Coordinates of all heavy atoms in Angstrom, one line a residue:
L1292 N -95.2 85.5 -2.6 CA -94.0 85.9 -1.8 C -94.2 87.3 -1.3 O -94.7 88.1 -2.1 CB -92.8 85.9 -2.9 CG -92.5 84.5 -3.6 CD1 -91.3 84.7 -4.6 CD2 -92.2 83.4 -2.6
V1293 N -93.9 87.5 0.0 CA -94.1 88.8 0.5 C -92.7 89.3 0.9 O -92.0 88.7 1.6 CB -95.0 88.7 1.8 CG1 -95.2 90.1 2.5 CG2 -96.4 88.1 1.3
H1294 N -92.4 90.6 0.6 CA -91.2 91.2 1.0 C -91.4 91.7 2.4 O -92.3 92.4 2.8 CB -90.9 92.4 0.0 CG -89.6 93.0 0.3 ND1 -89.3 94.0 1.2 CD2 -88.3 92.7 -0.3 CE1 -88.0 94.2 1.0 NE2 -87.4 93.4 0.2
K1295 N -90.3 91.3 3.3 CA -90.4 91.5 4.8 C -90.5 93.0 5.1 O -91.3 93.5 6.0 CB -89.3 90.9 5.5 CG -89.5 89.4 5.4 CD -88.3 88.8 6.2 CE -88.4 87.3 6.1 NZ -87.2 86.6 6.7
E1296 N -89.7 93.9 4.4 CA -89.6 95.3 4.8 C -90.7 96.1 4.3 O -91.4 97.0 4.9 CB -88.3 95.9 4.4 CG -87.1 95.5 5.2 CD -86.4 94.3 4.8 OE1 -86.3 94.0 3.5 OE2 -86.0 93.4 5.6
T1297 N -91.0 95.9 2.9 CA -92.0 96.8 2.3 C -93.5 96.2 2.4 O -94.4 97.0 2.3 CB -91.8 96.9 0.8 OG1 -91.8 95.6 0.2 CG2 -90.4 97.5 0.6
G1298 N -93.7 94.9 2.6 CA -94.9 94.2 2.6 C -95.5 94.0 1.3 O -96.6 93.5 1.2
D1299 N -94.8 94.5 0.2 CA -95.2 94.1 -1.1 C -95.2 92.6 -1.4 O -94.5 91.8 -0.8 CB -94.3 94.8 -2.2 CG -94.5 96.3 -2.3 OD1 -95.6 96.8 -2.1 OD2 -93.5 97.0 -2.4
S1300 N -96.2 92.3 -2.2 CA -96.3 90.7 -2.6 C -96.4 90.5 -4.0 O -96.8 91.4 -4.8 CB -97.5 90.1 -1.8 OG -98.6 90.6 -2.3
I1301 N -95.8 89.5 -4.4 CA -96.0 88.9 -5.9 C -96.5 87.5 -5.9 O -96.4 86.8 -4.9 CB -94.6 89.1 -6.6 CG1 -93.6 88.2 -6.1 CG2 -94.1 90.5 -6.6 CD1 -92.2 88.0 -6.9
S1302 N -96.9 87.1 -7.1 CA -97.3 85.7 -7.2 C -96.5 85.0 -8.2 O -96.2 85.6 -9.3 CB -98.8 85.8 -7.7 OG -99.3 84.4 -7.9
V1303 N -95.9 83.9 -7.9 CA -95.2 83.1 -8.9 C -96.0 81.8 -9.2 O -96.3 81.0 -8.2 CB -93.8 82.7 -8.3 CG1 -93.0 81.9 -9.3 CG2 -93.0 84.0 -8.0
T1304 N -96.4 81.5 -10.4 CA -97.1 80.4 -10.8 C -96.3 79.5 -11.8 O -95.7 80.1 -12.7 CB -98.4 80.8 -11.5 OG1 -99.1 81.7 -10.6 CG2 -99.2 79.6 -11.9
I1305 N -96.2 78.2 -11.5 CA -95.5 77.3 -12.3 C -96.5 76.9 -13.4 O -97.5 76.1 -13.1 CB -95.0 76.1 -11.7 CG1 -93.9 76.5 -10.6 CG2 -94.4 75.1 -12.6 CD1 -93.4 75.4 -9.8
A1306 N -96.5 77.4 -14.6 CA -97.5 77.2 -15.7 C -97.2 75.9 -16.3 O -98.2 75.0 -16.7 CB -97.4 78.3 -16.7
S1307 N -96.0 75.4 -16.4 CA -95.5 74.2 -16.9 C -94.2 73.8 -16.3 O -93.4 74.5 -16.2 CB -95.2 74.4 -18.5 OG -94.8 73.3 -19.1
D1308 N -94.1 72.4 -16.0 CA -93.0 71.8 -15.4 C -92.7 70.5 -15.9 O -93.1 69.5 -15.5 CB -93.1 71.8 -13.8 CG -91.8 71.4 -13.2 OD1 -90.7 71.7 -13.7 OD2 -91.9 70.9 -12.0
G1309 N -92.0 70.6 -17.0 CA -91.6 69.3 -17.7 C -90.3 68.7 -17.2 O -89.6 69.3 -16.4
G1310 N -89.7 67.7 -17.8 CA -88.5 67.1 -17.5 C -87.3 67.9 -17.8 O -86.3 67.9 -17.1
K1311 N -87.4 68.7 -18.9 CA -86.3 69.6 -19.3 C -86.4 71.1 -19.1 O -85.4 71.9 -19.2 CB -85.8 69.3 -20.6 CG -85.4 67.8 -20.8 CD -84.7 67.6 -22.1 CE -84.3 66.1 -22.2 NZ -82.9 65.9 -22.3
N1312 N -87.7 71.5 -19.1 CA -87.8 73.0 -19.0 C -89.1 73.3 -18.1 O -89.9 72.3 -17.9 CB -88.0 73.7 -20.3 CG -89.1 73.3 -21.2 OD1 -89.9 72.5 -20.7 ND2 -89.2 73.8 -22.4
T1313 N -89.2 74.7 -17.7 CA -90.4 75.1 -16.9 C -90.7 76.4 -17.4 O -89.9 77.2 -18.0 CB -90.0 75.0 -15.5 OG1 -91.2 75.3 -14.7 CG2 -89.0 76.0 -15.1
V1314 N -92.0 76.8 -17.3 CA -92.5 78.2 -17.5 C -93.1 78.7 -16.3 O -93.9 78.0 -15.7 CB -93.5 78.0 -18.8 CG1 -94.1 79.5 -19.0 CG2 -92.9 77.5 -20.0
L1315 N -92.6 79.9 -16.0 CA -93.1 80.6 -14.8 C -93.9 81.8 -15.1 O -93.5 82.6 -16.1 CB -91.9 81.0 -13.8 CG -91.1 79.9 -13.2 CD1 -90.0 80.6 -12.4 CD2 -92.0 79.0 -12.4
L1316 N -95.0 82.1 -14.6 CA -95.7 83.4 -14.5 C -95.5 84.1 -13.3 O -95.7 83.7 -12.2 CB -97.2 83.1 -14.8 CG -97.7 82.3 -15.9 CD1 -99.2 82.0 -15.9 CD2 -97.2 82.8 -17.2
V1317 N -94.9 85.3 -13.4 CA -94.6 86.1 -12.2 C -95.3 87.5 -12.4 O -95.2 88.1 -13.4 CB -93.1 86.4 -12.1 CG1 -92.8 87.2 -10.8 CG2 -92.3 85.1 -12.2
T1318 N -96.2 87.8 -11.4 CA -97.1 88.9 -11.4 C -97.2 89.5 -10.1 O -97.1 88.9 -9.1 CB -98.4 88.6 -12.1 OG1 -99.1 89.8 -12.3 CG2 -99.2 87.6 -11.2
G1319 N -97.5 90.9 -10.1 CA -97.6 91.6 -8.9 C -97.8 93.0 -9.0 O -97.8 93.6 -10.1
T1320 N -98.2 93.7 -7.8 CA -98.3 95.2 -7.8 C -97.4 95.6 -6.6 O -97.7 95.2 -5.5 CB -99.8 95.5 -7.6 OG1 -100.6 95.0 -8.7 CG2 -100.0 97.1 -7.5
I1321 N -96.5 96.5 -7.0 CA -95.6 97.0 -5.9 C -96.1 98.4 -5.5 O -96.4 99.3 -6.4 CB -94.2 97.2 -6.6 CG1 -93.7 95.8 -7.1 CG2 -93.2 97.7 -5.5 CD1 -93.6 94.7 -6.1
L1322 N -96.4 98.6 -4.2 CA -97.0 99.8 -3.7 C -96.1 100.6 -3.0 O -96.4 101.8 -2.6 CB -98.2 99.5 -2.9 CG -99.3 98.5 -3.4 CD1 -100.3 98.1 -2.4 CD2 -100.0 99.3 -4.6
H1323 N -94.9 100.3 -2.7 CA -93.9 101.0 -2.0 C -92.6 101.4 -2.7 O -92.2 100.6 -3.5 CB -93.5 100.2 -0.6 CG -94.7 99.9 0.3 ND1 -95.4 98.8 0.1 CD2 -95.2 100.6 1.2 CE1 -96.4 98.8 1.0 NE2 -96.2 100.0 1.7
E1324 N -92.2 102.6 -2.6 CA -91.0 103.1 -3.3 C -89.8 102.3 -3.1 O -88.9 102.3 -3.9 CB -90.8 104.6 -3.0 CG -91.8 105.5 -3.7 CD -91.7 105.7 -5.2 OE1 -90.5 105.5 -5.6 OE2 -92.6 106.0 -5.8
G1325 N -89.6 101.8 -1.9 CA -88.3 101.1 -1.4 C -88.1 99.9 -2.4 O -89.1 99.3 -2.8
D1326 N -86.8 99.5 -2.6 CA -86.5 98.4 -3.4 C -87.2 97.1 -2.7 O -87.1 96.9 -1.5 CB -85.0 98.2 -3.5 CG -84.4 99.3 -4.4 OD1 -85.1 100.2 -4.7 OD2 -83.2 99.2 -4.6
S1327 N -87.7 96.3 -3.6 CA -88.3 95.0 -3.1 C -87.6 93.9 -3.9 O -87.6 93.9 -5.2 CB -89.8 94.9 -3.4 OG -90.5 95.8 -2.5
S1328 N -87.0 92.9 -3.2 CA -86.2 91.8 -3.9 C -86.9 90.5 -3.6 O -87.2 90.3 -2.4 CB -84.8 91.8 -3.5 OG -84.1 90.8 -4.1
F1329 N -87.1 89.7 -4.5 CA -87.7 88.4 -4.3 C -86.9 87.2 -4.9 O -86.5 87.4 -6.1 CB -89.2 88.4 -5.0 CG -90.1 89.5 -4.3 CD1 -90.2 90.7 -5.1 CD2 -90.8 89.2 -3.3 CE1 -91.0 91.6 -4.6 CE2 -91.7 90.2 -2.8 CZ -91.7 91.4 -3.4
D1330 N -86.8 86.1 -4.3 CA -86.3 85.0 -4.8 C -87.5 84.1 -5.4 O -88.2 83.6 -4.7 CB -85.6 84.0 -3.6 CG -84.9 82.8 -4.1 OD1 -84.9 82.5 -5.4 OD2 -84.5 82.0 -3.2
I1331 N -87.4 84.2 -6.7 CA -88.6 83.7 -7.5 C -88.7 82.2 -7.7 O -89.8 81.8 -8.1 CB -88.9 84.5 -8.7 CG1 -87.8 84.6 -9.6 CG2 -89.4 85.9 -8.3 CD1 -88.1 85.2 -11.0
I1332 N -87.6 81.5 -7.7 CA -87.5 80.1 -8.1 C -86.9 79.3 -6.9 O -85.8 79.5 -6.6 CB -86.7 79.9 -9.3 CG1 -87.4 80.7 -10.4 CG2 -86.8 78.4 -9.7 CD1 -86.7 80.5 -11.8
D1333 N -87.7 78.3 -6.6 CA -87.2 77.3 -5.6 C -87.0 76.0 -6.4 O -88.0 75.4 -6.7 CB -88.2 77.2 -4.4 CG -87.9 76.0 -3.4 OD1 -86.8 75.6 -3.6 OD2 -88.7 75.8 -2.5
T1334 N -85.8 75.6 -6.7 CA -85.5 74.5 -7.5 C -85.9 73.2 -7.0 O -86.1 72.3 -7.6 CB -84.0 74.5 -7.9 OG1 -83.2 74.5 -6.7 CG2 -83.7 75.7 -8.9
S1335 N -86.0 73.2 -5.6 CA -86.4 72.0 -4.9 C -87.9 71.5 -5.2 O -88.2 70.3 -5.1 CB -86.2 72.1 -3.3 OG -87.2 73.0 -2.8
V1336 N -88.7 72.4 -5.7 CA -90.0 72.0 -6.0 C -90.3 71.7 -7.5 O -91.3 71.3 -7.9 CB -91.1 73.1 -5.7 CG1 -91.0 73.3 -4.2 CG2 -90.9 74.4 -6.4
L1337 N -89.2 71.9 -8.4 CA -89.3 71.6 -9.7 C -88.9 70.1 -10.0 O -88.2 69.5 -9.3 CB -88.3 72.5 -10.6 CG -88.5 73.9 -10.5 CD1 -87.4 74.7 -11.2 CD2 -89.9 74.4 -11.0
T1338 N -89.7 69.6 -11.1 CA -89.4 68.2 -11.4 C -88.0 68.0 -11.8 O -87.3 68.8 -12.5 CB -90.3 67.9 -12.7 OG1 -91.6 68.2 -12.5 CG2 -90.0 66.4 -13.1
G1339 N -87.4 66.9 -11.2 CA -85.9 66.7 -11.5 C -85.0 67.4 -10.6 O -83.8 67.1 -10.7
K1340 N -85.4 68.3 -9.8 CA -84.5 69.0 -8.9 C -83.2 69.4 -9.6 O -82.1 69.0 -9.2 CB -84.2 68.1 -7.6 CG -85.3 67.4 -7.0 CD -85.8 68.1 -5.8 CE -86.9 67.4 -5.0 NZ -88.3 67.4 -5.6
P1341 N -83.4 70.4 -10.6 CA -82.1 70.8 -11.2 C -81.2 71.5 -10.3 O -81.6 72.1 -9.4 CB -82.8 71.8 -12.3 CG -84.1 72.3 -11.6 CD -84.6 71.1 -10.8
T1342 N -80.0 71.4 -10.8 CA -78.8 72.1 -10.1 C -78.6 73.5 -10.7 O -77.8 74.2 -10.0 CB -77.6 71.3 -10.2 OG1 -77.2 71.1 -11.6 CG2 -77.8 69.9 -9.5
G1343 N -79.2 73.8 -11.8 CA -79.0 75.1 -12.4 C -80.2 75.4 -13.3 O -80.9 74.5 -13.7
L1344 N -80.3 76.7 -13.7 CA -81.3 77.2 -14.6 C -80.8 78.0 -15.7 O -79.9 78.8 -15.5 CB -82.3 78.0 -13.8 CG -82.9 77.3 -12.5 CD1 -83.6 78.3 -11.6 CD2 -83.9 76.2 -13.0
R1345 N -81.3 77.9 -16.8 CA -80.9 78.7 -18.0 C -82.1 79.4 -18.5 O -83.2 78.8 -18.9 CB -80.4 77.8 -19.1 CG -79.9 78.6 -20.3 CD -79.4 77.8 -21.4 NE -80.5 77.1 -22.1 CZ -80.4 75.8 -22.6 NH1 -79.3 75.2 -22.5 NH2 -81.4 75.3 -23.2
L1346 N -82.1 80.7 -18.3 CA -83.1 81.6 -18.8 C -83.0 81.8 -20.4 O -82.0 82.3 -20.9 CB -83.0 82.9 -18.1 CG -84.0 84.0 -18.5 CD1 -85.5 83.5 -18.1 CD2 -83.8 85.3 -17.7
D1347 N -84.0 81.2 -21.1 CA -84.0 81.2 -22.5 C -84.7 82.4 -23.1 O -84.3 82.9 -24.1 CB -84.6 80.0 -23.0 CG -83.7 78.7 -22.7 OD1 -82.5 78.8 -22.8 OD2 -84.2 77.6 -22.4
S1348 N -85.9 82.7 -22.6 CA -86.7 83.8 -23.1 C -87.6 84.3 -22.2 O -88.0 83.6 -21.1 CB -87.4 83.4 -24.5 OG -88.4 82.4 -24.2
M1349 N -88.2 85.4 -22.4 CA -89.2 86.0 -21.5 C -90.1 87.0 -22.3 O -89.7 87.5 -23.3 CB -88.6 86.7 -20.3 CG -88.0 88.0 -20.6 SD -87.2 88.7 -19.2 CE -85.5 87.7 -19.2
V1350 N -91.4 87.1 -21.7 CA -92.3 88.2 -22.3 C -92.7 89.0 -21.0 O -92.8 88.3 -20.0 CB -93.5 87.6 -22.9 CG1 -94.5 88.6 -23.3 CG2 -93.2 86.6 -24.1
F1351 N -92.8 90.3 -21.2 CA -92.9 91.0 -20.0 C -93.8 92.3 -20.3 O -93.8 92.9 -21.4 CB -91.6 91.5 -19.4 CG -90.7 92.4 -20.2 CD1 -90.9 93.8 -20.2 CD2 -89.9 91.8 -21.1 CE1 -90.1 94.6 -21.0 CE2 -89.1 92.6 -21.9 CZ -89.2 94.1 -21.9
L1352 N -94.5 92.7 -19.3 CA -95.4 93.9 -19.3 C -95.1 94.5 -17.9 O -95.5 94.0 -16.9 CB -96.9 93.6 -19.4 CG -97.3 92.8 -20.7 CD1 -98.6 92.1 -20.5 CD2 -97.4 93.7 -21.8
V1353 N -94.5 95.7 -18.0 CA -94.2 96.5 -16.8 C -94.8 97.8 -16.8 O -94.5 98.7 -17.8 CB -92.7 96.5 -16.5 CG1 -92.3 97.3 -15.2 CG2 -92.1 95.1 -16.5
E1354 N -95.6 98.2 -15.8 CA -96.3 99.4 -15.8 C -95.3 100.7 -15.7 O -94.3 100.5 -15.0 CB -97.3 99.5 -14.6 CG -98.2 100.6 -14.6 CD -99.1 100.6 -13.5 OE1 -99.2 99.8 -12.6 OE2 -100.1 101.6 -13.6

Side-chain angles (χ1 to χ4, degrees):
L1292 304 176
V1293 179
H1294 191 269
K1295 290 179 184 175
E1296 286 89 36
T1297 65
D1299 288 324
S1300 65
I1301 66 170
S1302 176
V1303 179
T1304 303
I1305 299 173
S1307 172
D1308 186 24
K1311 296 196 182 236
N1312 62 4
T1313 189
V1314 175
L1315 296 179
L1316 305 177
V1317 185
T1318 187
T1320 299
I1321 305 301
L1322 301 173
H1323 298 89
E1324 287 285 336
D1326 293 1
S1327 296
S1328 182
F1329 302 93
D1330 179 6
I1331 59 172
I1332 299 178
D1333 178 4
T1334 56
S1335 68
V1336 301
L1337 297 177
T1338 301
K1340 311 268 189 281
T1342 58
L1344 303 168
R1345 183 180 72 215
L1346 181 58
D1347 292 325
S1348 66
M1349 71 184 86
V1350 175
F1351 62 93
L1352 302 158
V1353 179
E1354 188 177 10

